[in-house]
Amino acid sequence: KLELAKKIQNETSYQFFFKYIVPEEGLFNFLKWAKKYFYLALCTNRTTSTYPLLEHFNLKQYFDFIMTASQIPKNNPSALLTILEYFKIEPQNTLYIGDSKVDKNLCEKCKVKMVSYKNPDLIADFYVKNYQELKKLIEENFQFHPLETNRSY
């Protein structure tokens, strides 16, 4: 069954489904703001759909690093540790936004603070319901300054 599922996955164009996906309200404004102050990475359990989805919604430009499950699945701490190493950032200087137990377990294993996005049942350091709340949470709880325009990691 797994082989059949992988075969279907490889043969199915995810672009067919993009018309049913709507970006979360406030996403673009948040990413535009955050990009000025933070290194942004995406750590996802998506595989072959990641890049086409990011390109379809013009989101790729906001991320400095993208980790997909094709590289390292999120249940492996190396997924997040690779991102930290890339940016030369310590776990205590990192904030992870997630919505699943996989995200929570990853953060615990890597000793990274987590924001639970739209999931109040998830044990996390912070909780937000939308991107406006996320921006406010960051502004009120963390010190930060604009990044240099020539980002070097």
Side-chain angles (χ1 to χ4, degrees):
K1 289 183 183 184
L2 180 60
E3 287 180 25
L4 177 59
K6 287 182 178 182
K7 182 178 186 289
I8 292 169
Q9 177 186 19
N10 290 332
E11 294 173 357
T12 303
S13 172
Y14 287 95
Q15 293 179 352
F16 171 78
F17 301 101
F18 290 168
K19 62 185 173 188
Y20 302 107
I21 300 172
V22 178
E24 189 87 30
E25 184 179 332
L27 172 65
F28 292 101
N29 288 338
F30 175 79
L31 289 173
K32 285 177 194 171
W33 171 80
K35 182 83 171 157
K36 296 176 195 173
Y37 301 100
F38 308 103
Y39 299 130
L40 300 179
L42 176 65
C43 187
T44 179
N45 264 340
R46 285 186 174 274
T47 55
T48 57
S49 66
T50 302
Y51 285 97
L53 188 61
L54 291 174
E55 288 167 11
H56 177 80
F57 289 107
N58 201 25
L59 290 168
K60 190 175 169 192
Q61 65 178 322
Y62 296 107
F63 295 99
D64 302 296
F65 190 95
I66 297 168
M67 175 66 71
T68 71
S70 296
Q71 298 160 284
I72 306 172
K74 278 200 300 188
N75 62 352
N76 182 338
S78 292
L80 182 51
L81 294 174
T82 299
I83 294 169
L84 299 180
E85 288 171 18
Y86 177 81
F87 291 121
K88 300 176 180 79
I89 300 285
E90 296 297 320
Q92 65 269 19
N93 295 325
T94 304
L95 189 63
Y96 185 104
I97 295 97
D99 61 3
S100 71
K101 288 182 181 178
V102 173
D103 294 316
K104 175 197 174 304
N105 292 338
L106 180 64
C107 289
E108 280 183 354
K109 290 175 185 172
C110 296
K111 297 180 176 30
V112 167
K113 287 193 182 293
M114 182 182 164
V115 177
S116 174
Y117 187 81
K118 295 179 105 175
N119 186 351
D121 298 325
L122 196 62
I123 297 171
D125 299 289
F126 305 97
Y127 299 89
V128 296
K129 296 176 190 162
N130 55 50
Y131 285 104
Q132 293 81 7
E133 282 188 13
L134 179 58
K135 182 177 183 250
K136 183 177 178 182
L137 174 110
I138 293 169
E139 289 174 330
E140 292 178 355
N141 291 281
F142 301 94
Q143 293 184 354
F144 55 93
H145 54 83
L147 290 172
E148 295 179 18
T149 52
N150 294 335
R151 295 177 181 220
S152 60
Y153 312 111

